[in-house]
């Protein structure tokens, strides 16, 4: 016990025999310390909680401890976070504890830099009934996997490893419409993994990515480009919230326009709905011709702003402002004079085409 006290704190209830071991914060555990710890585990079969957090634990040492823990009766909590472990330790965790009758209720292995989202997925699938995994209350969240429409994973300090857990949860929910991952540490690679799952769930309509470093501080736009291409090629997603994420005006505009188009055709099962809408729009603005040659010469104004579409989706429109020095600036404005960048859309008041036809008739009378 004197040797244990040099690197860890050991507590045991004298009545029940339940015990726990916790490494001292910031200690660098040695090979000799691990030998002593394994001996303690063999002599105390009622250890229920073990924490070897932030003690420079490597795979070789972790394997020794995890093999020793196979002899305890009911190990409830394992915390190996903030160390230098790899997938080797994940494999031993799964092998030693996923098949036993009394499985651990909580496993925390976050902040081991060499672990990937693939390791998280393997761990998730190996312990389908676990209570907490990397401090995420998996069991509580899973209670609504057949009825819940919102998956709230905000403020869990998720990094790339935890994105693997988020991915599996997204795939399990059957009626999912909204995914909220705001206020985490999801980087560009994490967003790419997240969207792999989202694309497999066509019921998802809304995503909140706010306050995540999804561009790696502006150095990696690969995931944003993948998301943008998906939004432009599919009508699935209607809203994407990205507060606190710095993006160029051009990328913001592309995402905003793609979402606006998706909302415009929402609920329309006709695959040619938008084509028909565009054709009807051209026809409604087309002048009345009496001669065929005049029709052939006429060209529509492809760069004209569709004001009804802009108003309906509350989009920003460009305004050119000339300065005294002979130059000009482009200022983006909204119909409601709001300068904030948002993807919220106004409720539909009336059909776009009806309003367009009404405006056209009034202009002709005027």
């Amino acid at each position: 016990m004197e040797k244990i006290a040099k690197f860890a704190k050991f507590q045991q209830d004298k009545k029940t025999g339940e015990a726990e071991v916790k490494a001292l914060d910031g200690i660098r555990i040695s090979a000799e310390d691990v030998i002593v710890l394994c001996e303690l585990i063999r002599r105390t079969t009622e250890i229920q909680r073990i924490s070897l957090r932030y003690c420079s634990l490597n795979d070789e040492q972790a394997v020794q401890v995890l093999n020793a823990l196979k002899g305890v009766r009911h190990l409830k909590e394992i915390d190996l976070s903030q160390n230098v472990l790899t997938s080797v330790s994940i494999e031993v965790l799964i092998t030693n504890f996923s098949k036993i009758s009394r499985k651990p209720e909580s496993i925390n292995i976050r902040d081991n830099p060499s672990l990937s989202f693939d390791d998280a997925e393997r761990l998730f699938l190996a312990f389908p009934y676990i209570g907490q995994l990397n401090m995420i209350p998996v069991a509580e969240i899973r209670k609504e996997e057949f009825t819940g429409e919102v998956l709230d994973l905000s403020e869990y300090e998720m990094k790339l490893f935890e994105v693997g857990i988020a991915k599996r949860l997204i795939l399990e929910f059957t009626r999912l419409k909204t995914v909220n991952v705001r206020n985490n540490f999801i980087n560009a690679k994490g967003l790419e993994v997240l969207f792999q799952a989202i694309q497999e769930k066509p019921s998802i309509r809304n995503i909140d990515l706010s306050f995540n470093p999804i561009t790696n501080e502006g150095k990696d736009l690969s995931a944003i480009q993948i998301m943008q291409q998906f939004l432009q090629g599919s009508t699935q997603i209607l809203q994407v919230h990205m507060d606190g994420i710095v993006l160029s005006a051009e990328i913001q505009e592309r995402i905003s326009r793609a979402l606006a188009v998706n909302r415009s055709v929402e609920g329309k099962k006709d695959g040619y709905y938008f084509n028909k809408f565009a054709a009807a729009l051209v026809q409604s603005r087309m002048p009345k011709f009496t001669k065929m040659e005049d029709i052939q010469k006429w060209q529509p104004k492809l760069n004209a702003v569709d004001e009804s579409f802009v108003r309906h989706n509350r989009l920003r429109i460009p305004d050119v402002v000339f300065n005294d020095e002979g130059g000009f600036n482009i200022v983006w404005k909204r119909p409601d004079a709001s300068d904030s960048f948002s993807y919220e859309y106004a409720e539909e008041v009336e059909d776009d085409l009806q309003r367009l036809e009404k405006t056209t008739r009034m202009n002709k009378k005027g």
Side-chain angles (χ1 to χ4, degrees):
M1 296 308 299
E2 290 178 359
K3 291 182 179 180
I4 287 288
K6 293 179 180 179
F7 66 90
K9 184 177 181 181
F10 175 73
Q11 291 180 315
Q12 186 171 27
D13 189 303
K14 294 182 180 179
K15 293 182 179 180
T16 63
E18 294 181 5
E20 66 176 32
V21 182
K22 183 178 180 181
L24 301 177
D25 288 343
I27 194 74
R28 187 178 184 85
I29 198 166
S30 67
E32 183 181 351
D33 294 335
V34 171
I35 293 173
V36 173
L37 177 60
C38 291
E39 183 62 28
L40 173 67
I41 294 171
R42 293 188 187 96
R43 297 186 184 193
T44 312
T45 58
E46 291 297 332
I47 292 178
Q48 296 194 358
R49 289 170 292 277
I50 184 166
S51 174
L52 300 178
R53 172 180 173 273
Y54 191 40
C55 62
S56 301
L57 190 73
N58 59 36
D59 283 325
E60 182 180 354
Q61 296 167 334
V63 169
Q64 288 179 261
V65 174
L66 292 172
N67 285 338
L69 287 169
K70 289 173 64 177
V72 303
R73 296 181 181 180
H74 185 198
L75 182 61
K76 294 181 178 180
E77 299 178 14
I78 304 174
D79 187 349
L80 304 178
S81 59
Q82 293 182 274
N83 286 299
V84 289
L85 305 182
T86 70
S87 57
V88 173
S89 296
I90 295 290
E91 191 61 42
V92 176
L93 261 172
I94 294 172
T95 302
N96 287 3
F97 303 105
S98 65
K99 303 297 182 182
I100 60 178
S101 57
R102 304 178 75 179
K103 299 177 179 60
E105 299 170 4
S106 174
I107 296 176
N108 185 7
I109 197 166
R110 67 163 60 220
D111 291 330
N112 282 270
S114 296
L115 294 178
S116 70
F117 64 91
D118 291 321
D119 296 316
E121 289 190 66
R122 289 168 53 217
L123 203 59
F124 181 95
L125 295 172
F127 295 92
Y129 303 107
I130 197 166
Q132 281 195 350
L133 187 56
N134 277 29
M135 301 175 68
I136 299 175
V138 173
E140 187 68 25
I141 293 173
R142 271 176 158 166
K143 288 181 180 179
E144 298 184 356
E145 62 182 307
F146 298 111
T147 58
E149 296 183 353
V150 179
L151 177 58
D152 188 356
L153 294 173
S154 60
E155 301 184 18
Y156 281 113
E157 299 183 0
M158 292 196 302
K159 297 180 181 178
L160 181 57
F161 183 88
E162 288 73 36
V163 168
I165 300 173
K167 176 183 175 182
R168 299 313 310 185
L169 286 171
I170 290 172
L171 293 175
E172 285 194 359
F173 271 62
T174 57
R175 301 174 60 184
L176 195 58
K177 291 185 177 180
T178 300
V179 176
N180 180 6
V181 293
R182 68 186 289 128
N183 284 322
N184 283 293
F185 299 108
I186 300 174
N187 60 13
K189 181 60 179 178
L191 178 60
E192 183 180 343
V193 173
L194 204 63
F195 250 84
Q196 290 175 1
I198 289 172
Q199 292 179 52
E200 295 184 36
K201 302 295 289 187
S203 61
I204 296 176
R205 295 289 179 268
N206 312 304
I207 310 168
D208 193 341
L209 302 171
S210 302
F211 304 105
N212 279 286
I214 57 176
T215 63
N216 294 7
E217 299 181 354
K219 298 177 182 178
D220 189 348
L221 298 178
S222 58
I224 286 290
Q225 291 170 351
I226 290 173
M227 182 181 75
Q228 177 189 320
Q229 291 170 3
F230 177 70
L231 296 178
Q232 292 175 334
S234 169
T235 61
Q236 174 184 335
I237 306 300
L238 305 181
Q239 296 184 56
V240 177
H241 298 277
M242 296 195 297
D243 301 327
I245 299 173
V246 179
L247 293 171
S248 68
E250 181 182 1
I251 293 178
Q252 288 181 355
E253 192 64 25
R254 288 177 181 175
I255 292 174
S256 177
R257 296 284 174 178
L259 292 169
V261 170
N262 292 352
R263 292 192 294 266
S264 296
V265 300
E266 180 188 6
K268 307 299 189 297
K269 301 300 182 183
D270 185 355
Y272 298 96
Y273 174 81
F274 196 75
N275 288 358
K276 292 177 180 178
F277 172 81
L281 189 64
V282 171
Q283 292 174 7
S284 66
R285 294 186 174 184
M286 183 177 178
K288 299 298 182 181
F289 294 108
T290 57
K291 298 180 179 180
M292 181 60 67
E293 55 266 24
D294 293 334
I295 297 177
Q296 293 174 345
K297 294 177 183 178
W298 179 74
Q299 291 291 333
K301 295 180 180 180
L302 300 179
N303 60 343
V305 176
D306 182 357
E307 295 180 1
S308 63
F309 183 83
V310 170
R311 285 196 301 272
H312 175 66
N313 293 285
R314 297 179 65 191
L315 297 178
R316 302 182 303 167
I317 56 178
D319 185 25
V320 179
V321 178
F322 291 92
N323 55 42
D324 297 335
E325 299 176 355
F328 66 91
N329 294 316
I330 297 178
V331 179
W332 291 92
K333 294 184 177 180
R334 285 186 175 278
D336 58 0
S338 173
D339 293 328
S340 62
F341 184 74
S342 172
Y343 297 105
E344 296 290 343
Y345 62 97
E347 295 182 358
E348 186 172 359
V349 180
E350 58 181 321
D351 185 81
D352 287 334
L353 290 178
Q354 291 178 351
R355 287 189 297 170
L356 185 61
E357 291 172 1
K358 181 179 179 181
T359 304
T360 304
R361 288 196 299 270
M362 292 177 64
N363 290 338
K364 288 181 178 179
K365 289 180 180 180

